[in-house]
Amino acid sequence: MDSTAVAPPVAAATRPALPIPASIVPLRGLPVVGVVIAALIAAIATNKPWALNFFHVAGGGAWTALDLFLGLILGPVVRSLAPPARAEFTARYMPKMLLIMPTLVTMTLGSGFQLARHFDFLNTAYPRHGYIVASMIVVGVMAVIALGVLQPAGVAVLYELRKPQPNVELVGHLMKRYMYSAGITGVMQVATLVIMTRLPT
Amino acid sequence: MNERRLPPVQQLGVVSMILTIVSVIWLASYIPKHPPLTVSVVLMILAGVVMATNLTMLSRVQEFAWPTFRAVAGWTLVAYIVIAGMLEFVFLYDHVRGAVLLLMTLSLVSFAVNVPLLLGFGVARYQ
């Protein structure tokens, strides 16, 4: 009989069965973002109203719809999930949002400001100038929420999920913060809709 | 959860950004007239003081995931330098000059510091 003792395999600390984000920012999506930004720059440089309108309407529509959907529909659903399920959802969802949202915001605001210049809406003599200032205030509030709360929570979640032993409770806590702030920006988007529909009427 | 006693970096960063944004909206709301600059100057000074206080308080923290902070804040800073550079070009292209250009440039600097600070801190505090 072989007297050599074979040590039983030591139970390694197992990572929760969560997908690991390959990178914080999905690199495969960067060329698409690059093309969109290049097209936006071309639209602004040529000052073509159709192209500016396209970027403003397409970007603004998608941004508003996403914010409302995330904050008011998806948010409550995710909050009701068990922490591991919430973490799994987050691991697949968050990297995409890290590219999609800043791109949509850049499209909308860049083309929107240029459109306002083009049609002289920025001029204080414009009868509805107050609405333009109100839209700047709404965007300012949304920017503070997005840059001060939403984005840091999103990146922190991705860092946590790339650890060998991610803290599922922390991921759930950060996601809750993310969804609440998305809800607030979603409600603020309603104010944007009111302002934007008041401008041409 | 891994919540430690840390200075209120996030709150101060948000306050500094709010002051900056109010200053920019104040200036933008007067286009094409020359805006009264006092309000914007005061707001930008306050934003700068809050930002400097924030950076000082954070730099005094001993036990902190500084490598993570540097990685996140560094890459965010690179992105914001590009964005701020583009916006500065737009200001010059649109013939913004003098004190208004200075205030707008300072607001870009404020954003380029505050946003990386918030992102870097927001990630590193949980490491």
Side-chain angles (χ1 to χ4, degrees):
Chain A
M1 186 186 281
D2 190 358
S3 60
T4 312
V6 178
V10 177
T14 52
R15 187 185 193 278
L18 298 172
I20 307 169
S23 61
I24 301 294
V25 175
L27 301 176
R28 277 187 303 179
L30 282 177
V32 179
V33 174
V35 169
V36 172
I37 298 294
L40 173 68
I41 291 170
I44 292 173
T46 55
N47 233 357
K48 290 247 174 21
W50 176 85
L52 293 172
N53 255 325
F54 172 80
F55 275 105
H56 191 59
V57 173
W63 178 15
T64 307
L66 260 176
D67 261 357
L68 286 170
F69 181 73
L70 279 181
L72 305 179
I73 296 170
L74 200 60
V77 172
V78 172
R79 278 198 293 276
S80 67
L81 295 175
R86 206 184 294 169
E88 179 161 7
F89 167 82
T90 307
R92 297 181 196 280
Y93 155 91
M94 200 59 88
K96 295 175 180 65
M97 292 308 283
L98 218 53
L99 281 188
I100 292 170
M101 288 313 280
T103 309
L104 287 180
V105 172
T106 308
M107 271 172 71
T108 311
L109 299 186
S111 56
F113 193 82
Q114 194 65 10
L115 271 178
R117 264 178 64 88
H118 190 79
F119 292 116
D120 225 14
F121 289 172
L122 291 174
N123 198 319
T124 41
Y126 175 60
R128 295 213 163 114
H129 183 70
Y131 281 101
I132 296 291
V133 177
S135 79
M136 289 179 192
I137 293 168
V138 171
V139 166
V141 174
M142 288 199 296
V144 169
I145 294 170
L147 296 170
V149 184
L150 211 132
Q151 220 177 11
V155 179
V157 163
L158 287 172
Y159 260 81
E160 191 62 34
L161 287 171
R162 282 167 61 86
K163 286 180 183 172
Q165 287 296 312
N167 182 342
V168 173
E169 195 193 344
L170 175 65
V171 171
H173 167 75
L174 288 169
M175 272 311 281
K176 203 180 275 184
R177 185 184 297 176
Y178 181 91
M179 288 296 178
Y180 274 126
S181 44
I184 295 168
T185 53
V187 171
M188 298 213 65
Q189 289 284 14
V190 177
T192 310
L193 286 175
V194 171
I195 293 166
M196 290 300 143
T197 48
R198 283 294 293 167
L199 282 180
T201 53
Chain B
M1 223 164 299
N2 190 19
E3 293 272 11
R4 288 168 293 156
R5 294 283 297 168
L6 289 166
V9 173
Q10 200 164 10
Q11 291 85 335
L12 290 177
V14 167
V15 169
S16 179
M17 280 210 307
I18 289 172
L19 291 166
T20 307
I21 287 173
V22 175
S23 163
V24 171
I25 292 174
W26 177 265
L27 291 175
S29 66
Y30 277 91
I31 291 173
K33 293 178 190 164
H34 281 288
L37 297 177
T38 316
V39 174
S40 272
V41 169
V42 171
L43 287 167
M44 282 314 300
I45 289 172
L46 287 174
V49 169
V50 174
M51 192 171 76
T53 309
N54 207 6
L55 288 170
T56 309
M57 285 168 76
L58 181 62
S59 68
R60 287 181 180 165
V61 177
Q62 298 289 326
E63 285 182 27
F64 192 62
W66 287 109
T68 307
F69 175 84
R70 276 191 284 272
V72 177
W75 281 109
T76 314
L77 181 65
V78 169
Y80 269 83
I81 285 173
V82 173
I83 293 168
M86 284 167 66
L87 290 172
E88 187 70 17
F89 172 73
V90 170
F91 296 153
L92 294 171
Y93 186 77
D94 287 341
H95 310 293
V96 180
R97 296 284 183 274
V100 176
L101 178 63
L102 178 66
L103 284 167
M104 295 300 267
T105 305
L106 287 175
S107 69
L108 290 179
V109 171
S110 168
F111 260 80
V113 174
N114 276 314
V115 175
L117 179 67
L118 282 169
L119 265 177
F121 179 79
V123 174
R125 67 184 299 182
Y126 297 113
Q127 305 306 305

